[in-house]
Amino acid sequence: MPAKYPIGFLFALLLSAHIGSASAAGPEADRCLADLEAIAAFMPVNDAGGADHLADHGGAIEAALRKARGEAGALTDAAGCEPVLQTYLRAWRVGHLRVAPAVAGAGVAGTTARPELKGSADPRAPRLELLGKDTLLLVLPTFDDRYAAALKALLAEQRAALESHKYWIVDVRANGGGSDSTYAPLLPWLLDGDYPAHSVEYLVTPANIRAQEGICALTSDPASCAETMDPIVRKMRAAAPGSRVLMGEERMRIERAPAREPQAPARVAVLVDRKCGSSCEQFLLSVRGSFKVKLVGRSSFGSLDMSNMRGHALPSGRMLYYATTRSTRLPDMRIDGVGIAPDLLLPKPADEAGRAAEVKQVQRWLETGALR
């Protein structure tokens, strides 16, 4: 991708991030400014898309930095800093990039301890509802890896219902992603043939190596995580700073469909909206190649090209979460900022009653072909 700004401009912009802005507003403004300048210096070097974004949108990023400096310098309390920083980050990229409050118990490279799950009434847990003799609804509010065991158990416990209902609605509306491994047990029910799978490239920097070294301690299955991450960390340690290393050996491979469930559904509608992002979008890419699966609803969020977020501690203790990988789909198939379009576009529901009515509409379409 050709740069729209000369290298000299990018270097000057990077240096400008280190020039502090004197503040007379007090310590909260100073702390916020310190975080802002740290982000501006960190992003072009360590974020997987940072250098490209800066080359393509340097003017907008520079303008956003000037504006954020003015707003941060006028702060009198800490509560106003995160919105300023988050607004600045949106000039770089909308998804897979955020600032979060400082959390006690920060781990390696600024990663943080994971909170405990809620009880059995957790609204983010997967759930199944029988809509009639032929159709069921499988609601997947998240693919967070802490819910992997819950989804696997649900599929096992409800096997009789899954096998006896030939039409499925898989609801991933508002699913912000998590881990691809969470939805893996569902694929034998949905896929009916091979599908292409693209890899990712890890950006090599000292900060990113430290982040990869510490990430498995924060997962629900550190041993399984280490099997995947250890070879990548070894590659990164052996590579030159600023280079990119491929996860695996191929940029694109054909994945063999897992052994198909004998009583798999005949038709599947995956209900999606603008809040489906990250691993939720990877799920869409995996299942939409199936002859029996249709994506229904709205386009997804558009946050997948730059991924595998890691944490970096800012001077105040706040956390910057940024992307360490770039998809090998690029530049041929961009998803960031665009999303994945549905096969069947439906208008956005106005409220919760509308969301429920949308499920009924999709059920009617699966069973009869009628949308009204």
Side-chain angles (χ1 to χ4, degrees), residues 128-137 160-168 265-266 360 363 366-368:
L128 185 144
E129 179 182 347
L130 304 183
L131 302 180
K133 67 180 182 65
D134 290 326
T135 308
L136 61 78
L137 172 67
L162 296 172
E163 291 180 337
S164 63
H165 288 73
K166 59 183 178 179
Y167 305 135
W168 289 18
K360 292 298 183 183
Q363 178 186 1
L366 285 172
E367 294 176 353
T368 70

Side-chain angles (χ1 to χ4, degrees), residues 163-188:
E163 291 180 337
S164 63
H165 288 73
K166 59 183 178 179
Y167 305 135
W168 289 18
I169 301 173
V170 180
D171 188 353
V172 293
R173 292 175 298 178
N175 183 320
S179 172
D180 299 352
S181 61
T182 299
Y183 61 74
L186 191 57
L187 296 182

Side-chain angles (χ1 to χ4, degrees), residues 43-55 61 92-93 244 306:
M43 283 293 297
V45 178
N46 298 282
D47 183 83
D52 289 339
H53 296 330
L54 189 57
I61 292 171
W92 289 86
R93 185 175 63 246
R244 298 176 189 267
M306 309 301 165

